[in-house]
Structures are given as structure tokens and as C-alpha cells.
Amino acid sequence: MKAPFFATVLSLVPWIVLEIEKLIENLDITTCLAIFGVVFVGALYFIHVIALCYGTFHLHKVNEPDAALPGVSIIKPIMGTDENLETNLTSFFTADYHQFELLFCFHSPQDDAVPVVKALIERYPDVDAIIFFQEHEVGFNPKINNMNAAYMGAKYPLIMISDSTIFTRPDGILDLAKRIMSEEKLGLITQIPYCMDRVGKANCFEQVFFGTSHAKIYLAGNFLGFNCPTGMSSIFKKAALEECGGMAAFKDYMAEDYFFGKNLAARGYKSGISNQPALQNSASTTFTSFANRVGRWAKLRIAMMPQVILVEPLQDCFPAGIIMALSVHYLFDITIPMLFVIHFFFWISMDYMIMRVLQNGPLTLPLIQFFGFWLFRELSSAVIFIKALMTPSVRWRNNIFHVRWGGKIRDRISV
């Protein structure tokens, strides 16, 4: 019975090949571009769906305490202070985890945040906390220079890096530790960036960005297994990073978090995200500082992965809508305005639902404000990206960096 079946299938092969050849012969350039446009934007729709589903089922899980988990050394690089610094740091001093140490890293004893940290250490004498001052530079990357002494002095097998602007929930450390210890080959776990509810237009704008366009790429990328960690709040196994040469091995790379994940993956380790988002709680966000921050990230992506130049400008709502409307109109003669309206409402609705997932409930923003900030972000993203292309040098803190293709720093200029 098998022989006639396979014979029938084989007899169809020449016909299938002939039909494909006819299809290719009848395709013109415009039709091919239209098909490509539908496939490209369809993939963006699929990213929305993946992000919404993965976020819904993965985020905000409740963690039960587990005394069998190893200790965690929490490295806190700090430069300067703001109104929320004490609140953010206090959330770590009062975290609900059975064994951890806080390692505060400063470039200088004259930093304005040093008295804040010393006061908290005195207030919570039962918490194991140490202050480190940078003694020398190991490379170009100032964050690595800042953290390396604390990394070398860390006494626990799990290392958490947490920026000073991060507020942690009581079970935040537990969530990260439990997630990374759930599999032997997990080497790096990060928290998806989000924001605390704060007042102020710039703060709300930042929250909409991290709850929509950033969140969907981050959630879908992690589900699909891409390397997309974030350095603002992450945990890794120290033994795994030692296989890569330790923290000092990344001294001359910008975006050290990306290269942590890349080098760990090359050694067979996996990356992932925790169940709790990272809650950014800076008191000094402005529209300018946000644009500079996002622009800096764009410059680094261009340097590390030049192919994003072709894709990134087209992945936002309006460029994608134009591509889909024109493509479907050409292929099926459906009116362009109707196609664009359908696309627009699908896109913004999915973004709104994804942000609700990050928020773990209703948004504190009124719907009209969400729409306004969302629209402003969509319209401003192209401007930020073009500016990043035009001025590739990266300004961070008091330094200007020139970055080679691949992400390695060529030189650094202090300003």
C-alpha cells in the first residue's frame, strides 16, 4: 500500500515544480514587493499577539519563599541622587529574601548619594551592605569600571545588577533567584523594563513607551529565544560569567548586558525574563532626557546590529500601516483608507492591552492621555532614529564614546 502512495506523490512533483515556475514567471517586481509588504507587517502583527499572550501567562506570578535558593549579591551602581533615590534603595534594604548582600558602587567618595547610602546602612544594621569606591579603570566602559570591584568582592553565587533608579517589590529578588535556578543552563535572567506610576507628563510618556513599543519587542523576543537582556535589572550565575572571563572581559564594550547574554549563549547558556517587571522610578525624567536615552540605545543597536537600519524605521504603527495598506490594495484592490483604519485600531488596541498586562490591571492614565502619549511616541520615534543615524557618537554621563561596528568602544572623550 505504501508503494502506490509514494508513487502517486512522486508523480505530482513535476506538476508542482511546473506550477511554481509558472507562478514565478507571472510575478512582477511590484507584486513581489506587495507580497513582501504583507508578510513583513503580518509578522509585526504576530509579534503583538505573541507579546500579549506571553506576557499574560508569564508575568506577575506569585512566588513562595524557598530557603534552598542560594544567596544573592546585589550590585548597585550609583551616580548622583534625586528625590526618589532613598525610596528606591530602601525597597532593597527591606526586600523579602533570606540571604543577600548590597554592594553600592561609586566613582568617588564625593558623590552626592554617598550620605544617603550611609544613612540607610545605619538605619538597617542587620542588612549586609558594603560601599565600594572605584580605585582604577579596567577599560573604557564606565559602568564596568564602577562595578568591577564589587563583582570581585561578591560572596554569593548569584549576582544581581540593579540600577539606582529601580524600585523592587518585596519578592523581586526571590522572583529573579527562583527563575534563574529553575534550569541548570539558565545563565542570565532580566526583568522586563517598566515604570512606577508617577505624576508628570514626561514620566507618563516614558511609562507608555516601556509599556507598549518596547514591551512587545522585549516579550516576543524573549519568547522566540532572541538575546535581548537589559542591564538595569538582571541576575546571572557568577560561575557562568567567569567562563566568559568575568565582568572585566566586557570592559571595552558598550551595552555590556547584550554582550553578557551573547557570550553566555555561545557557551550553551540560555537567557530569559523573570515574572516581575523592573520598576523604574527616576524623579528626574524629562522629554529631552528620554529622547537622549532612547537615542543612545538606537545608536548602540545600529553599531552592534547594522541590519536594524533597514528594519527599525518601518516597525512602528504608521510606516507599517502605509506598507500594509498599499500592499493589500495592490493585491486585492481594497480601499487604502479602510485598510489603514483597520490597521491603526488593531495596533493601538494591542498596545493598550499589552500595557495593561505590564501594569497588571487598569492603567492609571485616562484613555485620552494614553492615546496622546502613544501618538506622540509613534510620531517622534522616526525623528529620534534619524538623529541617531546622523550623530553616531554616544554621549553617556560625562563622556562621549565612539563605537566600532560590533559594539566595541574605539575611544572615549571626557566632557
Side-chain angles (χ1 to χ4, degrees):
M1 184 174 178
K2 289 183 179 180
F5 172 76
F6 284 116
T8 302
V9 172
L10 290 173
S11 68
L12 292 173
V13 171
W15 176 81
I16 294 172
V17 171
L18 182 63
E19 290 299 314
I20 293 174
E21 289 176 348
K22 288 181 181 179
L23 180 63
I24 294 173
E25 288 176 1
N26 292 327
L27 284 178
D28 56 20
I29 295 293
T30 308
T31 303
C32 290
L33 288 174
I35 293 172
F36 177 79
V38 171
V39 172
F40 173 72
V41 181
L44 297 179
Y45 294 161
F46 191 50
I47 285 173
H48 275 93
V49 175
I50 292 174
L52 181 60
C53 295
Y54 184 57
T56 300
F57 291 104
H58 181 80
L59 297 179
H60 305 293
K61 292 181 178 178
V62 177
N63 292 290
E64 296 297 329
D66 185 354
L69 292 170
V72 180
S73 297
I74 304 170
I75 299 177
K76 301 285 293 185
I78 302 177
M79 184 175 181
T81 185
D82 65 25
E83 295 174 3
N84 292 344
L85 178 64
E86 183 176 349
T87 300
N88 296 336
L89 298 183
T90 299
S91 70
F92 283 86
F93 276 93
T94 58
D96 186 12
Y97 194 71
H98 61 280
Q99 191 176 54
F100 68 94
E101 62 176 346
L102 294 172
L103 309 177
F104 297 99
C105 305
F106 294 94
H107 285 289
S108 165
Q110 283 72 48
D111 193 289
D112 292 340
V114 172
V116 178
V117 173
K118 288 184 175 179
L120 287 171
I121 292 174
E122 291 180 7
R123 189 185 308 169
Y124 298 97
D126 295 333
V127 176
D128 189 0
I130 306 173
I131 295 177
F132 291 85
F133 297 110
Q134 180 181 316
E135 296 181 356
H136 61 275
E137 294 188 350
V138 296
F140 283 128
N141 187 318
K143 191 171 183 179
I144 294 293
N145 292 332
N146 181 277
M147 298 189 298
N148 192 58
Y151 171 82
M152 297 295 291
K155 64 184 180 182
Y156 293 125
L158 298 181
I159 306 291
M160 178 179 176
I161 297 175
S162 174
D163 286 355
S164 60
T165 57
I166 299 297
F167 177 94
T168 187
R169 294 187 174 96
D171 65 341
I173 303 172
L174 171 64
D175 177 51
L176 282 163
K178 181 169 284 190
R179 180 78 174 89
I180 198 168
M181 295 305 295
S182 63
E183 294 182 40
E184 182 180 355
K185 294 306 290 182
L186 273 174
L188 175 65
I189 295 294
T190 60
Q191 291 184 311
I192 179 171
Y194 191 50
C195 300
M196 292 277 284
D197 293 328
R198 296 164 294 168
V199 297
K201 291 182 175 61
N203 290 328
C204 295
F205 177 69
E206 182 182 52
Q207 188 177 34
V208 169
F209 167 77
F210 281 105
T212 57
S213 62
H214 186 275
K216 64 176 172 254
I217 297 297
Y218 201 87
L219 286 167
N222 274 277
F223 176 80
L224 296 171
F226 291 105
N227 175 38
C228 46
T230 176
M232 69 178 68
S233 185
S234 61
I235 194 169
F236 55 87
K237 294 170 181 172
K238 187 174 185 179
L241 197 67
E242 284 297 306
E243 292 181 28
C244 304
M247 185 172 286
F250 304 91
K251 65 186 187 309
D252 293 327
Y253 288 91
M254 295 295 287
E256 69 288 334
D257 46 358
Y258 171 81
F259 290 101
F260 283 176
K262 183 177 180 179
N263 279 265
L264 288 168
R267 288 161 176 79
Y269 290 98
K270 296 188 293 183
S271 301
I273 60 172
S274 65
N275 302 125
Q276 299 288 352
L279 296 177
Q280 301 172 83
N281 190 35
S282 171
S284 56
T285 301
T286 64
F287 287 108
T288 300
S289 68
F290 172 84
N292 290 339
R293 183 186 186 193
V294 175
R296 182 173 69 247
W297 292 348
K299 293 175 184 182
L300 292 175
R301 287 194 299 275
I302 292 168
M304 295 183 298
M305 300 172 289
Q307 64 270 23
V308 305
I309 297 174
L310 302 175
V311 178
E312 189 160 325
L314 307 178
Q315 69 180 10
D316 288 320
C317 178
F318 294 107
I322 293 170
I323 293 171
M324 178 59 89
L326 292 176
S327 299
V328 175
H329 172 72
Y330 181 82
L331 294 172
F332 303 106
D333 198 27
I334 302 175
T335 59
I336 291 176
M338 184 179 73
L339 289 168
F340 190 85
V341 168
I342 293 171
H343 162 89
F344 177 84
F345 278 103
F346 169 83
W347 198 284
I348 192 172
S349 298
M350 291 296 291
D351 275 359
Y352 183 77
M353 288 188 286
I354 290 169
M355 186 167 175
R356 280 180 60 98
V357 169
L358 268 290
Q359 183 76 12
N360 197 26
L363 304 186
T364 56
L365 282 173
L367 186 60
I368 187 65
Q369 287 190 20
F370 168 83
F371 175 75
F373 289 129
W374 178 90
L375 186 63
F376 183 37
R377 195 225 70 84
E378 291 291 335
L379 295 174
S380 63
S381 61
V383 177
I384 293 173
F385 188 79
I386 291 171
K387 184 179 179 181
L389 278 175
M390 299 298 293
T391 56
S393 59
V394 178
R395 179 160 188 160
W396 186 44
R397 306 280 188 183
N398 299 321
N399 298 282
I400 295 176
F401 301 89
H402 298 103
V403 184
R404 295 190 179 98
W405 294 115
K408 198 166 186 178
I409 302 169
R410 186 176 75 241
D411 59 62
R412 182 187 71 191
I413 302 171
S414 297
V415 293

